[in-house]
Amino acid sequence: MSSDSANAEGSLDALLSEERRFAPSAAFRARAVLSDAGVYALATADREAYWAGWASELHWFSRWREVLKWKPPFAQWFAGGKLNVSYNCLDRHVQEGHANRVALFWEGEPGDTRTYTYGELLAEVCRFANGLKGLGVKKGDRVTIYLPMIPEVVVAMLACTRIGAIHSVVFGGFSPESLSDRNNDAAAKVLVTADGGWRRGTVVPLKANADEALAKSPTIEHVVVVSRGGSLSEQVGVSLRPGRDHWYHDLIATASDVCPAESMDAEDTLFILYTSGTTGKPKGVMHTTGGYLTQVYATTKSVFDLHDDDVYWCTADVGWITGHSYVVYGPLSNRAQVVIYEGGPDWPDRGRLWQICERYGVTVFYTAPTAIRSFMRWGEEWPEKSDLSKLRLLGTVGEPINPEAWIWYHETIGARRCPIVDTWWQTETGGIMITPLPGITETKPGTATLPFPGIDIAILNEKGEPTSAGYLAITSPWPSMLRGVWGDEERYRKTYWSQWKDVYFAGDGAKRDEDGYYWILGRVDDVLNVAGHRIGTMEVESALVDHPAVAESAVVGKKHDIKGEALAAFVTLKEKHAGSDALMKELREHVGKKIGAIAKPDLIVFTADLPKTRSGKIMRRLLRDIAEGRAVGDTTTLADPAVVRKLQTQYQED
Ligand code: PRX
């Protein structure tokens, strides 16, 4: 295991002595979707029957023949079953008499608002699905979606699922180069973007970025551009290339609002989502239809304890898996009333999220620990200005939550009344895997507690033997598991299934306490978690060495109060180049341009040499120690121990 987890272990001992326990109140339990702990035994007794029970709550055009076919490492869930995701998220609710129920409460950063009922959303999705068909999009084609958090992003995703096109949503903060890489890897045919979006009072020029990417995206035949509207569209002039580019509003103006939902096989690919791994190239994680929808439906309903009167808000961007599963598919398949907000949490002031909670009467709120740490730093006066009395359940995801932040969330936002669900899962798992059930589980700050019923988790050592502190493993297939890496079966096998036989390697370290609760220690591979986002060190290193002045670089994680982890880059320059503040700035910008602003290193240290083993491997553990100002550990395997001493003195001087 890397020293990341070893470091985390020191603080873990403190965590494990955590005495505070929070049991669900009698009132919460009385109304909870799940309140009987017997559900765990029930699921264990017949896992397949348990999942089939959840699947039966969805609408199937025809039922599956078999719940699970498992030929490691390939699983098929609900084989032979036919269904459509957009039908499950829209049509069936409308048919059941809920056409006028609010599906989306949307608020733009400047304060403009729009509301869509389930009936309106269905009509809009059908129009856009017909528009896509008109551009020649067929079942199985790939569509890239590069949009801000506006209702059209939900429309575009659902329209793809309606006609069986595979969407690949690219986070709006990614650079043109990241966008073209993803377009090309997926061989996408259509790109859906917008003139721009708002972020902290400034315009993110999405179409301009897309134009840059399009110059290097030969497979894209058509581009659909949403006009964000308001003053943004007046400010941002975009050029549309005739024949290739189309305004969204023109495309749907003449399109019919009736579009039959394609009958999809349970195992047809639903979407690809790129995520960072241990190489320089992000991987296209593939999810399919029936199993994915079953698990996100089941977990949304039971982890967020959804009732008809809830107003649900998950603050994630749809560019990440959390946005896919818990802004769009989980909530809409549950007929939830979903809040979506476009912009920054501190715009125009630090009370923005709480004002939104008050305005829409948010009852269930799901966010990331990094955001909670920012709220803590901003102070209680901001949430105190708003009426948060409707909140009844809080959630977190994306990284381990420190008990201090957990308690603050519980007391200041939840007024000691709201259970907190700390949910562990990944892009690859598709849905929540380890989590409290809010009407059943006694929580402890800092642990995601227990596997969701029907999920088999273990902690194993390198050899695959059970232990109470080691690598987190998933020992049975689960419905929303990834089905592969787009175009790279070998990488799928190697990354997830080569550590042990037929057991999934999650890439996280974990420990189990005397209650059987799981404490996640963080990544054990070369993947960092910066503000809840996954960034591969190799990706940032490749971006740095792409700069003409850089000879070599090593990127490591450095503890950060708000982001959890920040990036520290050690850079050796080519001859005739000297380190300077200006070059530092230039390198940060270069990484921003290659990947996106989230990957810009916080710290850049210029060094004549990098510490390497005799076999030439960079010793990242030492660099991490230096970046965090710790005494440097064992250097006996170093080729030249003097390098570390030099680096340490230099870093202290910096
Ligand atoms: O290290 C774990 C951390 O986030 C990683 C997954 O990142 P990503 O695929 O981007 O998905 C994030 C949203 C699901 C995991 O390998 N992680 C996620 N949730 C938690 C967590 N670490 C600790 N506690 C969590 N609740």
Side-chain angles (χ1 to χ4, degrees):
M1 217 188 283
S2 83
S3 63
D4 263 349
S5 23
N7 294 339
E9 241 170 81
S11 45
L12 188 79
D13 290 338
L15 286 181
L16 291 178
S17 59
E18 175 67 65
E19 289 295 327
R20 292 168 289 195
R21 302 270 194 284
F22 298 83
S25 68
F28 192 97
R29 189 182 284 258
R31 212 177 91 105
V33 168
L34 292 178
S35 57
D36 180 356
V39 65
Y40 289 101
L42 198 85
T44 308
D46 191 343
R47 242 167 37 86
E48 291 183 20
Y50 173 78
W51 284 115
W54 280 112
S56 304
E57 293 190 23
L58 300 174
H59 179 276
W60 295 77
F61 298 131
S62 51
R63 207 176 155 85
W64 55 89
R65 286 189 306 271
E66 206 176 334
V67 176
L68 172 65
K69 269 193 202 163
W70 176 225
K71 282 205 188 105
F74 298 100
Q76 288 185 25
W77 282 87
F78 310 111
K82 303 275 183 201
L83 76 166
N84 181 282
V85 167
S86 102
Y87 190 96
N88 272 284
C89 290
L90 302 168
D91 305 57
R92 72 176 170 135
H93 306 322
V94 169
Q95 282 165 26
E96 286 166 11
H98 302 284
N100 295 328
R101 180 175 167 81
V102 169
L104 303 179
F105 288 111
W106 174 78
E107 187 162 310
E109 193 182 76
D112 44 342
T113 60
R114 278 194 264 161
T115 299
Y116 286 79
T117 63
Y118 274 93
E120 289 164 344
L121 193 57
L122 171 60
E124 181 91 355
V125 166
C126 286
R127 277 192 288 267
F128 190 49
N130 283 325
L132 287 173
K133 276 187 180 173
L135 296 178
V137 178
K138 297 192 181 59
K139 184 172 166 178
D141 285 344
R142 273 80 59 212
V143 173
T144 303
I145 299 175
Y146 185 58
L147 283 171
M149 286 294 281
I150 54 179
E152 287 81 357
V153 77
V154 180
V155 172
M157 290 166 79
L158 289 170
C160 287
T161 71
R162 192 158 194 92
I163 61 175
I166 299 169
H167 62 65
S168 158
V169 182
V170 177
F171 172 56
F174 276 126
S175 67
E177 193 156 329
S178 295
L179 176 59
S180 59
D181 285 349
R182 286 156 174 76
N183 286 337
N184 295 338
D185 189 79
K189 196 168 177 181
V190 167
L191 169 69
V192 186
T193 186
D195 45 6
W198 287 109
R199 186 79 195 176
R200 287 203 165 123
T202 55
V203 172
V204 184
L206 290 167
K207 177 62 163 70
N209 289 349
D211 282 337
E212 238 185 271
L214 284 162
K216 289 193 271 178
S217 307
T219 61
I220 300 280
E221 295 169 13
H222 291 282
V223 180
V224 182
V225 186
V226 178
S227 165
R228 163 65 184 80
S231 68
L232 184 145
S233 295
E234 288 157 24
Q235 269 177 50
V236 181
V238 299
S239 57
L240 263 52
R241 182 191 286 183
R244 185 195 67 180
D245 300 357
H246 317 266
W247 283 115
Y248 172 90
H249 52 260
D250 288 343
L251 202 65
I252 61 166
T254 50
S256 158
D257 60 7
V258 177
C259 174
E262 189 80 31
S263 173
M264 302 297 288
D265 195 276
E267 281 300 331
D268 278 335
T269 302
L270 179 65
F271 65 83
I272 307 170
L273 182 59
Y274 286 86
T275 187
S276 294
T278 50
T279 74
K281 189 173 171 286
K283 47 192 179 226
V285 168
M286 288 160 65
H287 283 288
T288 59
T289 304
Y292 172 81
L293 194 64
T294 299
Q295 189 165 337
V296 299
Y297 168 81
T299 48
T300 305
K301 184 166 178 175
S302 40
V303 175
F304 300 113
D305 191 49
L306 273 192
H307 289 75
D308 251 4
D309 52 358
D310 278 314
V311 176
Y312 168 95
W313 187 15
C314 163
T315 64
D317 190 286
V318 286
W320 313 108
I321 190 68
T322 309
H324 284 60
S325 302
Y326 298 106
V327 175
V328 182
Y329 296 123
L332 295 180
S333 61
N334 273 287
R335 209 207 301 144
Q337 309 180 90
V338 178
V339 172
I340 296 184
Y341 168 58
E342 175 187 31
D346 52 353
W347 195 267
D349 65 41
R350 292 171 163 180
R352 184 63 184 268
L353 300 193
W354 316 122
Q355 292 148 19
I356 294 174
C357 283
E358 176 178 323
R359 193 148 40 245
Y360 301 99
V362 171
T363 58
V364 178
F365 182 75
Y366 189 34
T367 196
T370 184
I372 298 167
R373 290 191 295 266
S374 294
F375 306 150
M376 270 176 86
R377 175 169 290 189
W378 296 343
E380 315 197 330
E381 66 263 35
W382 294 104
E384 276 168 4
K385 286 188 218 275
S386 295
D387 176 6
L388 301 180
S389 61
K390 293 254 174 65
L391 284 175
R392 60 177 206 90
L393 177 64
L394 302 173
T396 82
V397 58
E399 50 179 317
I401 180 163
N402 44 314
E404 195 196 352
W406 196 103
I407 294 290
W408 186 90
Y409 198 29
H410 178 67
E411 292 179 350
T412 309
I413 305 303
R416 299 193 166 89
R417 168 187 79 236
C418 308
I420 294 181
V421 288
D422 172 355
T423 61
W424 177 89
W425 57 293
Q426 308 177 301
T427 305
E428 292 86 344
T429 70
I432 292 171
M433 301 294 280
I434 306 179
T435 176
L437 291 173
I440 297 175
T441 316
E442 187 178 70
T443 55
K444 297 191 247 183
T447 162
T449 72
L450 297 168
F452 188 78
I455 298 295
D456 291 335
I457 301 280
I459 299 178
L460 304 177
N461 66 14
E462 304 232 333
K463 288 188 227 143
E465 297 154 350
T467 160
S468 58
Y471 300 111
L472 192 67
I474 308 172
T475 53
S476 309
W478 64 102
S480 63
M481 67 191 272
L482 79 166
R483 301 299 199 266
V485 172
W486 183 260
D488 198 345
E489 186 181 314
E490 190 43 39
R491 194 166 174 195
Y492 171 68
R493 289 180 185 274
K494 196 161 166 266
T495 311
Y496 307 106
W497 305 98
S498 64
Q499 185 82 18
W500 311 291
K501 188 169 167 9
D502 304 344
V503 167
Y504 174 87
F505 175 71
D508 278 329
K511 224 171 174 177
R512 202 176 32 237
D513 69 14
E514 71 284 358
D515 293 326
Y517 284 12
Y518 289 82
W519 297 74
I520 311 296
L521 304 176
R523 302 288 307 188
V524 294
D525 51 10
D526 289 329
V527 173
L528 302 177
N529 191 326
V530 178
H533 299 312
R534 239 207 250 189
I535 297 176
T537 52
M538 277 280 286
E539 253 180 282
V540 184
E541 287 163 8
S542 314
L544 284 166
V545 295
D546 176 75
H547 188 279
V550 177
E552 196 176 16
S553 84
V555 171
V556 297
K558 172 178 160 49
K559 270 210 186 72
H560 187 282
D561 284 351
I562 302 290
K563 299 191 224 179
E565 237 174 350
L567 300 174
F570 292 81
V571 171
T572 61
L573 296 173
K574 289 187 186 151
E575 271 180 40
K576 301 201 198 81
H577 290 276
S580 65
D581 284 353
L583 182 58
M584 220 179 256
K585 197 160 168 255
E586 200 179 309
L587 291 180
R588 295 188 74 239
E589 291 310 313
H590 188 74
V591 174
K593 203 166 169 305
K594 296 289 292 182
I595 306 175
I598 51 166
K600 286 184 186 174
D602 270 30
L603 173 77
I604 294 183
V605 179
F606 294 113
T607 167
D609 294 290
L610 289 168
K612 291 187 182 158
T613 61
R614 286 177 199 112
S615 62
K617 207 169 168 274
I618 296 172
M619 296 186 75
R620 288 163 198 284
R621 180 175 51 81
L622 292 182
L623 293 176
R624 217 172 286 130
D625 287 343
I626 294 169
E628 293 185 348
R630 266 191 309 276
V632 174
D634 182 20
T635 57
T636 47
T637 49
L638 261 178
D640 177 8
V643 171
V644 172
R645 276 196 299 279
K646 256 196 283 180
L647 254 175
Q648 263 182 317
T649 11
Q650 185 197 334
Y651 177 56
Q652 276 150 15
E653 281 162 9
D654 284 348

